[in-house]
Amino acid sequence: MKKFYITTPIYYVNARPHLGHLYTTTIADLIARFKRQRGFDVFFLTGTDEHGQKIEQAANKRNHPVKEHVDEVVAEYLDIFSRYGFSNDHWIRTTDDYHKEAVQELFRKANEAGYIYKGYYEGWFCVGCAEFKEEEEQGKAPFCPLHDREAERVSEESYFFKLSAFQEPLLKYYEEHPEFIKPESRRNEIINFVSSGLKDLSVSRVSVKWGIPVLDDPAHTIYVWFDALSNYITALGWGNKVRSGFDKYWPADLQLVGKDILRFHTVYWPAFLMAVGIELPKTVYAHGMWISGGRKISKELGNIIDPNILLKFFSRDYVRYFSAREMVFGLDGDFTYSALINRVNSDLAKGLGNLVSRTLKMVEKYCQSIIPSAPKAFTSPDASESWQKTAQALRDSTIELSKVFELEFNDYNFSRALEAVWEIISKVDKYISDSVPWNLAKDPSNKEHLDTVLYTSLEALRFITAMLAPIMPDSTLSIWLQMGLANKPNDINPESLIWGELPSGNKIGEVKALFPNLDKDKLMAEIEEEKKKMSDSNEVKPAENTSPITEVVAVTEPVIETAKEPIPELKPMINIDDFLKVDLRVAQVLEAERVPKADKLLRLVLDAGEENKRQILAGIAQYYTPEEMVGRKIIIVANLEPRKLRGFESQGMLLAASIGEAGKPVVAGFLEDVPNGARLK
């Protein structure tokens, strides 16, 4: 049996579970179920990262003992993940004794191999990122845009890992294994980072006590990333005798991470493994982040998407479907309650739900709830009637689109995979409407034609249900039972389905509405009321969220009402000819770097679909890091006359909205994939 080992990051317990944690784990669960359905021996790992300075600070802020704080927050993770029905095979905690033992063994082996040495560190440390920051101006604390704070000055003895020794081995590995980092834009970002030079990495702290001590030198606590990243092997029994499965499941087939922690997983992690001679994971995939209403999610803006509110008003299948369909995997996406309601009503209530209901009700009404016999269109070579050929055409389309679904899902293009399924749904709906079975039922001589329409629709629905089982396990089980089918759709491998094997003569179950149409205005009012209740509650919040996973936190404090920004006055009117002079194009950022001695400028190298790459300078450096920009699809004014800034020629202009009195830029882009060079009109 083929194996498949999939991991999420382990989630930092300085804050409660939030949308970022929910999304990553949801996608991992979809993939794990998909692989199991196709016969893979799957091991799905998730868990919590429970050591480090941020945890100490979060516990102290609450006046709680650190372990008590950790246990409380972990309990919330376990509760919410259980209610969402995630199918992980193990939950690792970095406070587990077997993990501590294995981390110390990893440290010892790296030391014995000559890759760890003791030294002295003096520099700037960002507690939020749990990493040291380079000084941009001599004597001035570097500013971390991710956590909106300056780094702290640290001066102490430290053990160092010889990361610099792995620059060339890593670059060689990236070249020989292009599948190691996905998507491609993130791979380019990491290659650029490593190519610019690697410095040795501090891997211990003496000022932090909440963590795993270094063997033989307990004054030192092992640095959080050396501790946390090793969970992927310690959970399989590497370095300890409590767990097992390392020889069976390692290397990991897929490690899912947010784009903001990609560097740790594709630079530090493989270097640690190389140092002790362990094979590297096959693929590390960086997904995008959710925004909400076009803006970064934050409690100050009042656009938090809370996992508990989601589960109160929407089924977990709704959330799973929306997560897979709405965001192009690897890019950022927009998550709002309103968009979720729209997607449920359009795709599920009016789409899949309507197809299930109308098909089964016709079987109930016209066939006494018995699945009709397989028609001649699928059993006889001389089926020549036009309506038989129409049924065959639908069969062929369903089989072909199911192959598209498999291909896209295996490439982690979940949105496109689901588009293929909904194309089948659309074709079946049209087939039923064009065949008018309600008219056929009026004349007994049309029985064969009527049976053909109903059997063909049911068979397509069987394929659809099996394909959707990993995405919507609860709803598809209900459809399966209503169709009177044996086993469970999760146990049916869609690749092994054969058209025409729908069991004739089976009695369908009771027909029930699966996806009632949601009253948007009523539901949005109820959600807003629930948000207000939560913000007015006195429930203790574990800590301000500074997690490197994402910056979304649950609303447990009053939402800050902010005054609406005045809308800028319109500029003088122009005619269409004036507008057509502006050539707006889609471009993808290939490289990004800060412009020396220019606090506001980033230099961007772009692919705008032209023969040569294009360079522009953009005044966004105070709000966007170079790493955040690499890979993004942006909009540029392509026919703007070039000009020189700080010694660089800028060949165009980036489009961005201007927010607030300070004119904070929000870069314009796309949620869907658009080809480089496409013209906006």
Side-chain angles (χ1 to χ4, degrees), residues 33 99 107 140 148 200 209 231 247 262 276 278 282 313 341 365 388 414 430 493 596-598 629 632 642 656 669:
R33 289 174 183 266
H99 174 76
F107 194 95
K140 183 178 180 181
D148 195 30
D200 290 351
K209 298 304 178 186
N231 89 91
D247 292 338
L262 179 63
V276 296
I278 297 176
K282 294 180 182 178
F313 293 99
I341 294 169
K365 184 176 182 180
Q388 292 173 326
F414 309 116
K430 185 176 186 303
N493 184 349
K597 299 181 181 179
M629 291 303 298
R632 289 182 70 143

Side-chain angles (χ1 to χ4, degrees), residues 573-593:
M573 291 292 179
I574 62 172
N575 60 40
I576 189 64
D577 292 332
D578 292 329
F579 174 74
L580 291 176
K581 292 177 183 176
V582 182
D583 193 342
L584 300 176
R585 297 291 179 105
V586 178
Q588 184 171 26
V589 181
L590 302 178
E591 301 173 26
E593 66 177 7

Side-chain angles (χ1 to χ4, degrees), residues 334-369:
D334 203 326
F335 197 124
T336 64
Y337 294 112
S338 175
L340 175 53
I341 294 169
N342 291 342
R343 182 65 78 176
V344 168
N345 284 341
S346 63
D347 291 11
L348 300 182
K350 296 177 183 177
L352 176 60
N354 180 62
L355 175 61
V356 172
S357 179
R358 73 189 301 206
T359 303
L360 292 178
K361 283 182 177 178
M362 286 191 293
V363 173
E364 184 180 65
K365 184 176 182 180
Y366 304 137
C367 302
Q368 294 74 53
S369 298

Side-chain angles (χ1 to χ4, degrees), residues 129 172 221 271 276 303 461 492:
C129 293
K172 182 181 179 183
T221 299
V276 296
N303 62 351
L461 188 57
I492 306 298

Side-chain angles (χ1 to χ4, degrees), residues 51 114 153 168 174 193 236 254 257 271 273 297 377 406 426 444 470 473 524 538 570 586 617 622 636:
H51 289 140
R153 192 69 179 176
E168 291 308 317
Y174 301 153
F193 173 78
L236 297 179
L254 178 64
V257 299
L273 294 173
I297 295 176
E406 293 290 325
S426 177
M524 286 299 297
N538 293 319
L570 291 175
V586 178
L617 270 63
Q622 291 176 305
I636 64 168

Side-chain angles (χ1 to χ4, degrees), residues 55-64 541-544 557:
I55 303 298
E56 285 183 320
Q57 291 177 348
N60 291 337
K61 187 175 181 180
R62 298 181 63 205
N63 294 317
H64 274 51
K541 177 174 176 288
E544 178 185 0
E557 294 179 350

Side-chain angles (χ1 to χ4, degrees), residues 404-446:
V404 173
F405 172 83
E406 293 290 325
L407 180 66
E408 296 290 1
F409 203 107
N410 275 308
D411 284 342
Y412 310 126
N413 297 322
F414 309 116
S415 183
R416 290 180 183 175
L418 288 169
E419 285 174 10
V421 178
W422 257 256
E423 188 173 345
I424 299 173
I425 292 171
S426 177
K427 286 179 180 290
V428 180
D429 266 329
K430 185 176 186 303
Y431 170 69
I432 292 173
S433 297
D434 291 349
S435 301
V436 288
W438 42 90
N439 287 340
L440 294 174
K442 296 175 182 178
D443 186 348
S445 66
N446 293 324

